[in-house]
Amino acid sequence: MPLRKGGGTRVRLSISGLKTAAVLSLAAPTVLFYLTHLRWYFGLLSSAVLGAAVFFYRKGLNDERPAELPGKADGDAFELSPGSLLFCLLAAAAWTYLSGIGGFFAQSLDFNNRNAILHDLLDHPWPVYFPETDSALTYYLGYWILPALLGKGGGLLFGPAFAWTLANMMQFLQTVWLLLLAFLLLLSYLRRGEHVAGVVLLFIFFSGMDGLICFLREEWSPHIEWWSVTWEYPSMTTSLFWVYNQAVPAWIMTLLFLHSAGDIRTYALIGLICLPYAPFPLVGLVVLCAGCFCVALVRNRNRKAVWKMVFSPENLLAVLGMIPMLLFLTSNHAVGGDPFHVEMYREYYPTLGNYLYKYVLFLGIEWGIYAAILFSRFRKDPVFLLSCASLALIPLFQMGANYNDFVMRASTPALTLLCVYCIRFLTQPSPRQRRLLSWALVAALTIGALTGATEMKRGFAEFRLNGYRPVVRDEYGSVLNAKEEVNYFLCTDVSDSFFYRVLAKQRENR
């Protein structure tokens, strides 16, 4: 609601309302998945259980909401100017446009796979079966469920071509909405109604200092984050441009966690609603939640109360409500192919010393310099320390079909938190904070911004070379044509899958 403050119009937003909107926005596609992919009775039951978890989450927010004092803004309110709100919306729209989502600009190569998934969801009944190979589309589909459902509806009325156009438009609008929520969650956490443009741009361009290595080596490429060969911690812009379906929900999940870092009652719900979008980032958040739980046990003398929070209604219902989704995802062929394991030494490095040198260099460039600057301010903050520990350990592990997938994606929550701490350091300086450290952080972030700028430059170059027409990566048409990656998107033995035998709707004419 608008109000007058200090002679200017301000928009008051409810923080609990923002958090509820974010949870509902991420949970709704899972409910749609259940209703369209499961047998009707399993679909209704699972949807009801997940809905109950969201209800208790919202109820908990209302119970914690401080009473409003006459003449004062309550603790649940967050205020910013209409211009700042408009800037957030325009920034979300511009960032989405430049990412290629919706097919209006230049898309990265990874869109071939993502467009293929959308084609299969549009072209087949749900669940998507491929009877000729006894397989089924089995992937984290959360980001495409709503656009595909609306596209299918439009296709029934106006034909297949319109279905594709409408689904892409809905992907664009969905991304703008989720990014707007992410920006508002960030600003409300920081309690920043001023300098909004600076905060949003810092988030968009946040990255490790890849440009420093490229400058020293005099080696520049359209994707400069691969300088270490074996590891990559992607920038915010790189994540959006290549794996938007994982990155955007993971950012919202992490910001929701940050808003309630001490509220163990909500951990399972906040994390598991991201399971249909981003399993690897969820693993990264689980580590942070486990660490915060251990800190709570140590600091709180009443350990029984801590354990009681673990078994809150929202946590228990979220776990129960997401079991069908977990069974769906674990039926994917790639799950059992490359289990989680320690990977501390590789054939890329001739000696252990060379490996350790590259490992330390990677940590320092990607986040260590930032952490060193921030340490004096946040050395007693457990979430900051857990984030640093997480970023140090993640490169030592491997999981998934591609050896670098786990490193790139599981790091998303910790990198997001590091970004927030950098913004806090600059926008909320402490009385003892030295100006020299602030300038050092600004210099480091400026170098880091080169990564996102390089990614945008790649898009502009491809857009220009294509005659200023969109570059749509749509070579496959179906995941069955995804070459050597085809099994990453499938349950390759439907007849032997518990999910498809028991829970899922059966294929037609079986």
Side-chain angles (χ1 to χ4, degrees):
M1 67 183 267
L3 54 96
R4 305 290 295 182
K5 182 177 179 180
T9 301
R10 308 286 287 180
V11 177
R12 177 185 292 182
L13 301 174
S14 165
I15 297 176
S16 62
L18 284 175
K19 292 159 72 173
T20 303
V23 169
L24 287 172
S25 296
L26 294 185
T30 300
V31 172
L32 291 176
F33 174 89
Y34 286 162
L35 296 177
T36 55
H37 283 68
L38 303 184
R39 299 174 193 247
W40 69 268
Y41 39 90
F42 287 131
L44 289 176
L45 178 61
S46 301
S47 300
V49 173
L50 187 58
V54 175
F55 169 79
F56 279 104
Y57 174 80
R58 174 63 185 179
K59 183 176 182 297
L61 294 178
N62 286 336
D63 292 343
E64 294 174 0
R65 193 173 186 268
E68 186 171 1
L69 300 177
K72 295 184 179 181
D74 63 71
D76 185 55
F78 167 66
E79 299 171 2
L80 71 169
S81 68
S84 295
L85 185 60
L86 178 61
F87 179 86
C88 290
L89 176 60
L90 294 177
W95 204 18
T96 303
Y97 172 80
L98 294 177
S99 72
I101 297 170
F104 304 114
F105 195 61
Q107 297 180 342
S108 66
L109 290 173
D110 272 11
F111 272 76
N112 279 315
N113 294 329
R114 318 210 184 286
N115 286 332
I117 292 170
L118 185 58
H119 273 299
D120 284 330
L121 289 172
L122 289 172
D123 296 342
H124 299 272
W126 295 355
V128 178
Y129 289 109
F130 303 110
E132 62 273 19
T133 58
D134 191 34
S135 61
L137 178 63
T138 307
Y139 198 65
Y140 23 100
L141 303 175
Y143 211 89
W144 298 286
I145 289 294
L146 179 57
L149 185 64
L150 295 174
K152 288 172 83 73
L156 292 175
L157 296 174
F158 303 106
F162 183 78
W164 176 252
T165 301
L166 180 59
N168 274 281
M169 176 61 73
M170 291 311 304
Q171 269 202 102
F172 181 90
L173 295 177
Q174 175 179 263
T175 305
V176 172
W177 166 247
L178 292 177
L179 286 177
L180 177 62
L181 282 177
F183 293 155
L184 294 177
L185 286 171
L186 172 62
L187 291 166
S188 61
Y189 169 75
L190 297 170
R191 295 285 180 160
R192 298 298 301 182
E194 296 77 30
H195 309 298
V196 169
V199 171
V200 171
L201 291 174
L202 276 172
F203 187 87
I204 291 173
F205 285 97
F206 181 77
S207 171
M209 300 170 62
D210 310 288
L212 179 61
I213 292 294
C214 294
F215 175 78
L216 294 175
R217 294 179 177 177
E218 298 183 355
E219 297 176 357
W220 293 88
S221 68
H223 198 56
I224 65 176
E225 285 153 305
W226 278 104
W227 62 267
S228 74
V229 181
T230 50
W231 302 298
E232 177 191 349
Y233 277 169
S235 71
M236 297 296 197
T237 292
T238 303
S239 294
L240 181 68
F241 284 22
W242 290 78
V243 286
Y244 62 89
N245 58 299
Q246 295 190 60
V248 180
W251 294 337
I252 292 177
M253 171 186 71
T254 307
L255 290 167
L256 286 171
F257 163 77
L258 195 56
H259 267 274
S260 308
D263 190 359
I264 300 172
R265 298 173 304 167
T266 65
Y267 282 1
L269 176 63
I270 289 173
L272 288 173
I273 57 172
C274 209
L275 179 63
Y277 306 88
F280 282 169
L282 174 57
V283 174
L285 186 73
V286 167
V287 173
L288 296 171
C289 289
C292 287
F293 168 72
C294 292
V295 170
L297 282 179
V298 171
R299 290 183 172 180
N300 196 326
R301 294 181 180 180
N302 188 356
R303 295 185 178 180
K304 184 177 179 180
V306 176
W307 281 105
K308 185 178 179 180
M309 288 192 290
V310 172
F311 296 101
S312 67
E314 46 265 64
N315 277 346
L316 293 176
L317 290 167
V319 171
L320 291 174
M322 295 304 292
I323 288 176
M325 181 61 67
L326 182 63
L327 292 171
F328 169 72
L329 293 175
T330 53
S331 66
N332 181 280
H333 171 81
V335 169
D338 192 359
F340 185 77
H341 61 280
V342 178
E343 187 72 16
M344 297 186 66
Y345 191 77
R346 297 186 177 283
E347 67 272 15
Y348 295 98
Y349 305 102
T351 65
L352 179 60
N354 183 257
Y355 171 88
L356 292 175
Y357 165 73
K358 290 294 181 64
Y359 170 72
V360 173
L361 180 63
F362 173 79
L363 298 186
I365 292 297
E366 295 300 327
W367 64 272
I369 293 175
Y370 295 142
I373 297 172
L374 300 175
F375 184 77
S376 62
R377 167 84 179 276
F378 301 112
R379 63 182 182 277
K380 296 182 179 180
D381 188 322
V383 175
F384 170 73
L385 297 176
L386 287 167
S387 301
C388 293
S390 175
L391 292 172
L393 295 174
I394 284 174
L396 304 181
F397 296 91
Q398 178 181 339
M399 183 180 182
N402 184 310
Y403 69 84
N404 202 35
D405 279 351
F406 181 78
V407 177
M408 291 188 291
R409 310 303 166 224
S411 59
T412 301
L415 288 172
T416 305
L417 292 173
L418 185 66
C419 171
V420 174
Y421 279 105
C422 286
I423 296 172
R424 282 183 59 186
F425 191 89
L426 294 175
T427 60
Q428 301 171 348
S430 67
R432 297 183 179 181
Q433 185 172 309
R434 296 181 181 179
R435 182 171 295 184
L436 180 61
L437 288 177
S438 296
W439 282 110
L441 182 58
V442 169
L445 290 170
T446 302
I447 295 173
L450 293 174
T451 304
T454 302
E455 192 63 40
M456 292 180 182
K457 180 183 176 182
R458 174 195 58 78
F460 277 109
E462 293 179 358
F463 185 65
R464 185 178 65 254
L465 288 174
N466 200 45
Y468 298 97
R469 296 187 302 272
V471 181
V472 179
R473 307 288 185 177
D474 194 19
E475 298 176 7
Y476 300 157
S478 169
V479 297
L480 292 179
N481 303 321
K483 301 177 183 178
E484 69 277 1
E485 298 179 346
V486 59
N487 287 338
Y488 302 165
F489 304 100
L490 301 176
C491 170
T492 54
D493 190 358
V494 170
S495 301
D496 194 43
S497 166
F498 177 83
F499 176 83
Y500 286 103
R501 284 189 295 107
V502 178
L503 300 180
K505 289 180 179 179
Q506 300 305 290
R507 66 184 108 182
E508 297 178 356
N509 301 321
R510 186 171 183 179

